[in-house]
Amino acid sequence: MDTIQVSIILNEEKIKGLNPFDLQRVRKDINGIRSPYGYTYCDCLEISKNTNFIVKISYPRFFAGVNAFLISDKTQCTQVQWDFSLNLNNHPVLCDAQIKLDRVDIPFTFIMGPDYDFNSYRKVYQVFDYVYRKKILSQILKHTQMFRNTNQKL
């Protein structure tokens, strides 16, 4: 696993007692959660209209402070989840909140054989490049046509 996105759902009674400044303070608290290694690993992306906190949790940042760290076993995932849950449980506003899993990002890691190097996979990268360029070109053409249609109506 690389990152997950969760919704932290407050109970109705807690929501009634909070003003916008309180919500922003809670958001700041979520963003400030530190791992035992000293790194922040949570980003509160938004506070939804029904006052759910939408949070991205980065497993690599928990251990290394950057996303360029490979999670290698399930105990590391469990450690991140345990620490996040403890932080919520110790927070006066979030302690009885529900957590809903919204998204899981799993990185694609390809281990090259010992007799291969980056250039050995050149054709694969050329195919990726071709697909990317075709996709971008079609989006540019689509937006250009939309722009022309809008200008013609004016």
Side-chain angles (χ1 to χ4, degrees):
M1 243 184 307
D2 185 42
T3 59
I4 63 172
Q5 183 174 305
V6 298
S7 294
I8 301 173
I9 305 164
L10 301 179
N11 72 44
E12 294 295 324
E13 292 301 313
K14 285 266 175 82
I15 293 171
K16 291 177 186 174
L18 297 174
N19 63 46
F21 296 109
D22 294 331
L23 294 173
Q24 289 304 319
R25 189 173 62 247
V26 172
R27 182 181 195 166
K28 184 178 176 185
D29 292 344
I30 292 169
N31 287 332
I33 294 176
R34 289 196 175 276
S35 73
Y37 305 100
Y39 304 112
T40 58
Y41 62 98
C42 299
D43 296 313
C44 185
L45 303 175
E46 68 176 294
I47 303 170
S48 69
K49 62 183 176 203
N50 52 354
T51 62
N52 294 340
F53 294 90
I54 311 302
V55 179
K56 182 178 87 171
I57 302 169
S58 171
Y59 289 78
R61 281 182 30 211
F62 178 89
F63 294 100
V66 295
N67 285 327
F69 177 85
L70 185 62
I71 299 299
S72 57
D73 70 41
K74 64 183 176 184
T75 59
Q76 291 175 314
C77 294
T78 304
Q79 185 179 357
V80 175
Q81 294 161 0
W82 178 260
D83 189 76
F84 180 72
S85 298
L86 282 177
N87 276 281
L88 293 188
N89 194 46
N90 292 328
H91 194 279
V93 175
L94 303 173
C95 61
D96 57 355
Q98 293 180 355
I99 301 172
K100 181 180 127 214
L101 181 63
D102 296 324
R103 177 180 169 162
V104 177
D105 292 345
I106 300 173
F108 172 74
T109 304
F110 182 79
I111 308 298
M112 289 190 273
D115 298 331
Y116 292 90
D117 63 9
F118 186 80
N119 286 328
S120 303
Y121 296 92
R122 185 177 199 139
K123 286 284 187 203
V124 172
Y125 298 117
Q126 288 173 338
V127 169
F128 286 158
D129 177 62
Y130 175 79
V131 170
Y132 173 78
R133 289 177 190 274
K134 285 290 188 182
K135 182 177 179 181
I136 292 297
L137 180 61
S138 73
Q139 289 176 354
I140 290 171
L141 292 173
K142 178 181 171 185
H143 286 93
T144 303
Q145 186 62 38
M146 286 173 45
F147 180 74
R148 285 183 183 149
N149 290 341
T150 304
N151 283 340
Q152 288 174 358
K153 291 178 185 176
L154 297 175

